[in-house]
Amino acid sequence: MKPTKTIWFDGKLVPWDDAKIHVLTHALHYGYAIFEGIRCNTTSNGPAIFRLSEHIDRLISGAKTYRMRLPYSRELLMGACLDLVRENGLEQCYIRPIVFSSFGELGVNPLQNPITGAIACWEWGAYLGDEGMEKGIRCAVSSWARIDARILPPQAKCSANYANSALAKMDAISAGYDEAILLTLDGHVAEGSGENIFMVRNGEVFTPTLDAGILAGITRSSVIQIARDNGIPVQEKNFTRDELFVADEVFFTGTAANVVPIREVDGRVIGSGHYPVTKMLQTVYLDAIHGKVEKYKPWLSYVR
Ligand code: PPE
């Protein structure tokens, strides 16, 4: 990670090296933090943040679920993201807001601790590699099940959820794959460790429903809209892993990942090795985030 000039830390812009917390910070011990991942991309009108309000709204909803009283308004957080990118002089970056139970008391109950927020940004390339974006990645179904709504609320982007993601991701990487696909406790396909999943069959696109323990991905909703706008039917429905094996195309979506074809699942090559629907959605999505599609310009917040 290449440091940038400044980080927004509890309301102020501070030098990168000064954005520090105590080792007894409550969230470090119990995972009680809500975060976001947002991208800012180059456009012909300078850098633009993609779907900023949706990301901040998801952060606020996650905080509500976890009974966090945020000391910042929605407008303040949105403004802070824009100021931060501008101050750092970046044309393109990943933005990471986080709100967490900070320093005060230890012990599971977070309610007596203050909530602190920080927002950092840095340059972050293709999450699953440039080659993955182009040629597709290799995935394995994980032996770890995806968190279930009775265990941790999957809709809240809570740091604790990512212990589940990290276990699946590490095992996939150690076994020589690029990414893990997690199933629900009852055996339906849920999502990747940090991406939503889709499959294409006979020209139709399918993706698991939100009650499959998945994050309500903002890229997922953008891609659903792009598909429908281009005459491709999309159905939210749950399916088992064997349906992935015989799909024509399978792909991941996510802020960090963008739209990435999956060329292999558990050693089975997907479809014909060509991904016309995925490639079309990837192209339009990339054009949209770079401000090249008139219709999707309302999704952008310009930094300057
Ligand atoms: N599921 C999970 C579990 C997830 O973490 C993400 C985003 C998504 C789906 C896609 O959501 P969206 O970004 O709104 O389309 N994962 C973020 C964090 C990745 C990381 O390694 O950190 C991201 O893509 O920013």
Side-chain angles (χ1 to χ4, degrees):
M1 185 190 284
K2 192 166 139 228
T4 56
K5 210 165 72 191
T6 179
I7 289 178
W8 186 93
F9 192 42
D10 203 14
K12 288 193 288 285
L13 290 173
V14 304
W16 175 278
D17 287 332
D18 295 350
K20 291 185 179 145
I21 53 166
H22 197 275
V23 290
L24 295 181
T25 295
H26 184 273
L28 179 65
H29 295 249
Y30 307 109
Y32 192 84
I34 306 288
F35 72 94
E36 264 308 317
I38 315 175
R39 272 194 193 270
C40 175
N41 305 287
T42 53
T43 75
S44 56
N45 290 317
I49 302 180
F50 188 67
R51 304 198 77 173
L52 176 59
S53 58
E54 286 87 346
H55 282 282
I56 297 301
D57 285 345
R58 189 169 66 185
L59 181 82
I60 291 169
S61 299
K64 179 176 182 186
T65 296
Y66 276 92
R67 298 175 183 265
M68 278 187 189
R69 279 181 300 273
L70 287 189
Y72 322 109
S73 70
R74 178 177 189 267
E75 288 62 40
L76 185 134
L77 290 169
M78 286 177 57
C81 290
L82 291 160
D83 290 346
L84 180 73
V85 175
R86 197 180 314 112
E87 280 302 311
N88 280 306
L90 297 172
E91 291 299 314
Q92 185 144 294
C93 60
Y94 184 82
I95 305 168
R96 168 56 56 84
I98 185 163
V99 289
F100 56 95
S101 165
S102 58
F103 186 74
E105 300 290 330
L106 275 189
V108 169
N109 178 17
L111 292 175
Q112 67 262 31
N113 286 340
I115 300 296
T116 302
I119 311 173
C121 66
W122 65 91
E123 286 173 62
W124 199 0
Y127 188 63
L128 295 163
D130 290 321
E131 198 185 310
M133 286 283 283
E134 182 54 36
K135 297 200 177 118
I137 58 164
R138 295 176 54 246
C139 293
V141 170
S142 185
S143 58
W144 298 100
R146 172 70 183 157
I147 53 165
D148 175 272
R150 292 160 296 181
I151 297 171
L152 286 166
Q155 304 290 318
K157 213 169 150 58
C158 181
S159 296
N161 299 358
Y162 288 83
N164 172 251
S165 287
L167 287 166
K169 179 87 184 191
M170 288 188 293
D171 288 1
I173 299 283
S174 305
Y177 296 96
D178 300 307
E179 181 56 292
I181 296 170
L182 290 96
L183 306 182
T184 61
L185 283 171
D186 66 356
H188 290 100
V189 174
E191 60 181 349
S193 74
E195 310 86 1
N196 291 117
I197 193 164
F198 288 75
M199 68 169 181
V200 185
R201 228 170 146 175
N202 300 323
E204 213 177 327
V205 173
F206 300 92
T207 195
T209 59
L210 293 183
D211 59 14
I214 64 170
L215 184 73
I218 291 162
T219 320
R220 175 183 180 276
S221 84
S222 308
V223 164
I224 290 174
Q225 185 171 336
I226 291 170
R228 288 182 178 149
D229 288 349
N230 284 277
I232 299 172
V234 183
Q235 261 193 63
E236 294 177 55
K237 96 174 182 74
N238 293 322
F239 47 85
T240 48
R241 82 172 80 178
D242 48 308
E243 292 197 62
L244 290 177
F245 299 156
V246 296
D248 300 327
E249 302 177 36
V250 180
F251 63 91
F252 275 142
T253 65
T255 298
N258 289 318
V259 177
V260 180
I262 296 174
R263 67 179 154 90
E264 199 185 295
V265 178
D266 287 345
R268 278 88 164 170
V269 173
I270 302 303
S272 62
H274 299 285
Y275 322 107
V277 176
T278 308
K279 281 286 150 104
M280 186 280 278
L281 295 172
Q282 186 190 62
T283 304
V284 179
Y285 176 75
L286 291 176
D287 283 349
I289 67 175
H290 289 286
K292 294 181 191 164
V293 188
E294 204 51 47
K295 186 181 206 163
Y296 303 129
K297 281 189 178 168
W299 284 344
L300 305 180
S301 300
Y302 293 95
V303 167
R304 294 195 284 261

